[in-house]
Each structure stands twice: as C-alpha cells, then as structure tokens.
Amino acid sequence: MASKRKPNKLVLAVFGGLHATAMALTWRDLRRRPPALIRGNKKIWRIASTMNTGGAAAYWLIGRRRTPAPAKH
C-alpha cells in the first residue's frame, strides 16, 4: 500500500517560481518578436506557456525562427 505523503512546500515553491519565470520570459519575447520570426500564432504560444512549463520550453525550442519565414508566392 502506498503511503500518502504531503508535497514538499519548498519543492512546489521552486517549481512554481521556475514556471512563472519561464512564462514571463516567453511573454516578453513574444511581445518583442515580430510575427515573421514566430512559428504559429502568438496567442496560442501565450496559452501554451501558461498551461505548463513544457509549453514555454516548446516555444523556445520550436516556436522561434532564427530568420524570417520565406515569402509565399
């Protein structure tokens, strides 16, 4: 039988702080970066970054472009 343990408040505070920092940095970058340098919609990336830290990490790994998207003909 698994024992029920209370979550460590310090661990929860650290992870909460990391998530808040990642989200704030993501939102700042989204605000400053032109749409041509972002893969997808800015609103979707904002929503994803608020849900969990993985959403913010996905933005930094996948959502940002280094160069503008090629022009559509």
Side-chain angles (χ1 to χ4, degrees), residues 11-38:
V11 172
L12 291 175
V14 168
F15 279 113
L18 288 173
H19 174 68
T21 301
M23 186 178 68
L25 291 173
T26 300
W27 281 36
R28 184 180 75 177
D29 190 73
L30 283 165
R31 186 174 57 248
R32 293 178 178 178
R33 188 170 289 272
L37 294 179
I38 297 175

Side-chain angles (χ1 to χ4, degrees), residues 32-52:
R32 293 178 178 178
R33 188 170 289 272
L37 294 179
I38 297 175
R39 289 184 178 101
N41 188 318
K42 286 186 176 191
K43 285 184 182 182
I44 299 299
W45 284 116
R46 281 190 187 101
I47 291 169
S49 71
T50 60
M51 291 190 167
N52 59 37

